[in-house]
C-alpha cells in the first residue's frame, strides 16, 4: 500500500512538472481546443463553404491548429468565403516554421504573434502567396542574427536589393501586394509599407502597417511600418532611417489630429479592434466622405504617440544646436521669383544619401512671401532636393548645408535656358 501511495505521489509530481516545464507552453497551442472556440464555429457556420473550412481544420497538424483556427475565426468574411485555402495552409505552415526557427519569434507573447506575425494580409491588397517566397529571400540575411533588432536591421539593409523594388509613383496601383510590387520593381509608399511588413513577418518579426489618410496640409496620405521590439512599437520605413522612431515625416505627425479621422494616424490590427483603418486609396474619385470608406481592416488610433515622439525629437535638436533649416520656395518659372503670383505649390522631397529626411508642398500664391516650406535637418551635411518639373521629369538639386539656414528656389520651368 505504501509503495502504491508513493508511486501515485511521484506520478502526480511528474505530471505537475510536465505542465510547468512543457516546452513551448507560451505558444498556447497545447491548451487550445477548437471545440471550445465559439467565435471560430460561428464564423464557419456563417460561411457558404463551411464544409471546406471544417475539412481544412481537420487536416491541419496539431502544432499548427491554433494558428489556423485563429485566422479562420478572425479573417474578413470575404476571405473566409473566397480565399484560396492552399494559400492559407502555406501561410500557417511557414509562420509556424519561423516561430520554431528563430529565438525572437519563439519568445513572442501569444497575442503579438497571432496578430502581427501570423496574418496573411496587411490591408486590402490582393491575397497572394508571399510568405514562402519572402522567407526564402530573407532567411539567409537573418540566420546569423542574435537579436530581433539585428534581424530588423538585416531586413531593412537588404530589402531593395533582394526584392528589386524601389519607390516610384508610376506603379500600377496604390495597394500593391508583394508580388505585384516585385513584378514591376516599383511601388509607392503604401506598397512599400505592405512589402516591408510582410518581409518582417516572413522571418518572425512582428510588424504592422501605419499611416494617415492625409497630412495637415491636405497633400495626401502616407503609409509606413511599425515593428514590435522590447515590448513596444517602433517606427520605421522601407528605406531604413538612421534611428528607429526618427522619420522624416515627424514634423507633419506633430500636426496630426486624433479627433479627425482624415488627419489622425492609425496602425492596423488583425481581427477584433476598437477602430478601423481609413484606406483612402479605395476611393477612386477621392470625393467620398471618409466615414464611407470600407471598414474591413481593424486599427488603433496612435496619433498621440506620434505627437509625443515629434515633440521630443525636435525640441531636443533645437536645444542642442545640432540642426537648422532648409527652406524651399517653389515657382512657376525660375525666371520670375519676385511676386506672390509667381509662386506655386509643388511637391519636394529632401534626401541625405538614400534616406529621406523630409517632404511636402511649397507655399502657393495666396501665402505670405515669408512663408516657406521648411525642413529641420542636421547641420554640415550635403542634401539633395528631388521634385518633378512641368514636363514630369525628376529634378535633383544639391544643397550644401553649413551652420546657418539655407533657402533654395525650385521651379516647374526655366525660361532662362
Amino acid at each position: 500500500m505504501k509503495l502504491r501511495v508513493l508511486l501515485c505521489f511521484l506520478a502526480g509530481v511528474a505530471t505537475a512538472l510536465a505542465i510547468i516545464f512543457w516546452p513551448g507552453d507560451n505558444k498556447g497551442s497545447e491548451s487550445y481546443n477548437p471545440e471550445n472556440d465559439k467565435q471560430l464555429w460561428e464564423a464557419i457556420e456563417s460561411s457558404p463553404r463551411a464544409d471546406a473550412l471544417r475539412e481544412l481544420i481537420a487536416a491541419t497538424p496539431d502544432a499548427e491548429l491554433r494558428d489556423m483556427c485563429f485566422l479562420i475565426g478572425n479573417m474578413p468574411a470575404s476571405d473566409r468565403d473566397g480565399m484560396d485555402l492552399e494559400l492559407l495552409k502555406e501561410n500557417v505552415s511557414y509562420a509556424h516554421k519561423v516561430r520554431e526557427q528563430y529565438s525572437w519569434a519563439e519568445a513572442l507573447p501569444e497575442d503579438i504573434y497571432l496578430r502581427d506575425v501570423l496574418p496573411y494580409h496587411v490591408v486590402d491588397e490582393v491575397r497572394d502567396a508571399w510568405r514562402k517566397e519572402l522567407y526564402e529571400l530573407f532567411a539567409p540575411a537573418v540566420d546569423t542574427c542574435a537579436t530581433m533588432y539585428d534581424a530588423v536591421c538585416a531586413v531593412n539593409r537588404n530589402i531593395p536589393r533582394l526584392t528589386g523594388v524601389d519607390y516610384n509613383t508610376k506603379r500600377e496601383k496604390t495597394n500593391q501586394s508583394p508580388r505585384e510590387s516585385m513584378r514591376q520593381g516599383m511601388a509607392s509608399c503604401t506598397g512599400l509599407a505592405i512589402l516591408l511588413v510582410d518581409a518582417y513577418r516572413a522571418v518572425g518579426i512582428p510588424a504592422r502597417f501605419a499611416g494617415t489618410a492625409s497630412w495637415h496640409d491636405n497633400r495626401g496620405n502616407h503609409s509606413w511600418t511599425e515593428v514590435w521590439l522590447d515590448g513596444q512599437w517602433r517606427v520605421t520605413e522601407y528605406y531604413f532611417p538612421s534611428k528607429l522612431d526618427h522619420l522624416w515625416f515627424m514634423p507633419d505627425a506633430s500636426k496630426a489630429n486624433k479627433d479627425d479621422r482624415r488627419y489622425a494616424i492609425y496602425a492596423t490590427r488583425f481581427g477584433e479592434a476598437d477602430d478601423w483603418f481609413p484606406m483612402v486609396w479605395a476611393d477612386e474619385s477621392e470625393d467620398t466622405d471618409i466615414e464611407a470608406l470600407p471598414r474591413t481592416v481593424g486599427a488603433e488610433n496612435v496619433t498621440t504617440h506620434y505627437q509625443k515622439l515629434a515633440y521630443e525629437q525636435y525640441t531636443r535638436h533645437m536645444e542642442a544646436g545640432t540642426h537648422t533649416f532648409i527652406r524651399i520656395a517653389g515657382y512657376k518659372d525660375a525666371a520670375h521669383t519676385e511676386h506672390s503670383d509667381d509662386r506655386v505649390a509643388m511637391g519636394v522631397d529632401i534626401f541625405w544619401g538614400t534616406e529621406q529626411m523630409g517632404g511636402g508642398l511649397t507655399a502657393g500664391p495666396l501665402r505670405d512671401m515669408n512663408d516657406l516650406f521648411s525642413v529641420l535637418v542636421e547641420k554640415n551635411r550635403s542634401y539633395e532636393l528631388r521634385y518633378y518639373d512641368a514636363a514630369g521629369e525628376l529634378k535633383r538639386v544639391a544643397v550644401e548645408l553649413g551652420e546657418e539656414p539655407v533657402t533654395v528656389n525650385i521651379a516647374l520651368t526655366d525660361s532662362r535656358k
Side-chain angles (χ1 to χ4, degrees):
M1 179 64 71
K2 291 182 179 179
L3 179 60
R4 182 179 299 175
V5 171
L6 178 60
L7 291 174
C8 289
F9 172 76
L10 291 175
V13 171
T15 300
L17 290 174
I19 292 172
I20 295 172
F21 295 108
W22 186 263
D25 188 56
N26 67 320
K27 299 176 186 177
S29 59
E30 290 78 13
S31 60
Y32 175 73
N33 183 350
E35 297 300 325
N36 299 328
D37 193 335
K38 182 179 178 182
Q39 179 177 335
L40 169 67
W41 296 111
E42 286 179 350
I44 289 175
E45 292 304 321
S46 68
S47 174
R49 57 174 182 176
D51 290 342
L53 294 172
R54 292 191 197 97
E55 291 174 5
L56 175 61
I57 291 173
T60 300
D62 289 345
E64 301 172 8
L65 187 60
R66 177 69 181 93
D67 294 359
M68 180 65 76
C69 291
F70 179 81
L71 291 180
I72 293 174
N74 288 274
M75 67 203 309
S78 58
D79 288 346
R80 191 182 302 114
D81 298 345
M83 180 179 160
D84 181 358
L85 296 184
E86 288 300 316
L87 187 158
L88 196 61
K89 287 169 62 176
E90 180 178 282
N91 180 85
V92 170
S93 176
Y94 271 82
H96 177 75
K97 175 184 176 70
V98 298
R99 199 173 193 195
E100 295 291 317
Q101 182 173 349
Y102 298 119
S103 59
W104 54 82
E106 185 178 21
L108 290 173
E110 184 73 0
D111 188 61
I112 292 293
Y113 167 76
L114 291 174
R115 295 186 185 276
D116 301 297
V117 173
L118 176 64
Y120 55 88
H121 77 99
V122 177
V123 281
D124 62 344
E125 72 276 16
V126 169
R127 305 326 192 206
D128 61 29
W130 55 267
R131 193 178 289 270
K132 178 177 183 289
E133 185 173 2
L134 293 182
Y135 167 78
E136 291 174 347
L137 281 177
F138 288 95
V142 304
D143 278 347
T144 59
C145 294
T147 68
M148 187 186 293
Y149 177 74
D150 293 338
V152 167
C153 295
V155 170
N156 272 93
R157 280 196 304 269
N158 289 285
I159 193 166
R161 177 180 63 84
L162 292 177
T163 64
V165 177
D166 273 307
Y167 177 81
N168 194 320
T169 56
K170 294 180 180 179
R171 79 289 183 266
E172 292 174 359
K173 59 182 180 180
T174 301
N175 59 334
Q176 291 178 173
S177 69
R179 283 189 169 180
E180 288 175 328
S181 294
M182 288 191 285
R183 172 176 55 78
Q184 300 169 62
M186 65 180 74
S188 57
C189 63
T190 300
L192 294 180
I194 292 170
L195 180 55
L196 182 56
V197 168
D198 286 342
Y200 283 141
R201 290 177 175 178
V203 289
I205 299 170
R208 64 185 185 181
F209 182 96
T212 181
S214 177
W215 292 125
H216 60 96
D217 57 5
N218 291 310
R219 71 176 186 273
N221 73 300
H222 186 56
S223 309
W224 59 91
T225 303
E226 294 183 352
V227 292
W228 192 86
L229 283 169
D230 300 324
Q232 58 183 316
W233 287 103
R234 308 293 300 276
V235 188
T236 187
E237 207 169 33
Y238 189 83
Y239 295 107
F240 204 28
S242 54
K243 293 181 180 179
L244 293 173
D245 298 331
H246 288 65
L247 276 295
W248 62 269
F249 51 78
M250 283 301 173
D252 294 305
S254 71
K255 299 176 183 178
N257 183 349
K258 69 181 181 66
D259 298 318
D260 187 328
R261 188 174 299 280
R262 183 168 295 279
Y263 303 110
I265 298 174
Y266 292 90
T268 56
R269 179 176 172 83
F270 182 82
E272 287 185 301
D274 294 332
D275 214 324
W276 54 278
F277 197 97
M279 298 180 291
V280 289
W281 52 83
D283 173 25
E284 295 182 359
S285 69
E286 299 184 357
D287 294 327
T288 302
D289 180 357
I290 196 164
E291 295 297 329
L293 291 171
R295 303 189 179 195
T296 55
V297 176
E300 175 186 353
N301 189 324
V302 293
T303 308
T304 300
H305 173 65
Y306 279 84
Q307 289 173 329
K308 289 179 179 178
L309 284 176
Y311 177 81
E312 293 170 0
Q313 291 172 19
Y314 280 83
T315 299
R316 184 171 66 250
H317 287 324
M318 295 303 292
E319 290 177 348
T322 57
H323 288 58
T324 190
F325 287 97
I326 295 178
R327 299 188 176 112
I328 307 165
Y331 295 94
K332 300 172 186 176
D333 189 333
H336 302 91
T337 60
E338 297 180 1
H339 305 290
S340 61
D341 287 347
D342 297 329
R343 299 210 304 175
V344 65
M346 53 191 295
V348 58
D349 295 314
I350 299 89
F351 285 80
W352 175 55
T354 61
E355 182 178 344
Q356 187 168 3
M357 310 304 294
L361 292 174
T362 58
L366 300 181
R367 304 264 287 273
D368 189 284
M369 285 293 283
N370 293 316
D371 184 355
L372 302 179
F373 170 59
S374 301
V375 179
L376 185 67
V377 291
E378 191 168 339
K379 296 177 179 179
N380 301 307
R381 281 184 173 183
S382 299
Y383 296 94
E384 184 178 75
L385 309 186
R386 300 180 189 177
Y387 66 96
Y388 288 92
D389 66 11
E393 295 183 3
L394 178 64
K395 297 295 183 180
R396 301 171 184 263
V397 176
V399 178
E400 294 295 328
L401 186 64
E403 289 287 326
E404 301 299 323
V406 170
T407 299
V408 182
N409 292 344
I410 60 175
L412 291 175
T413 62
D414 190 350
S415 61
R416 299 172 303 180
K417 296 180 179 180

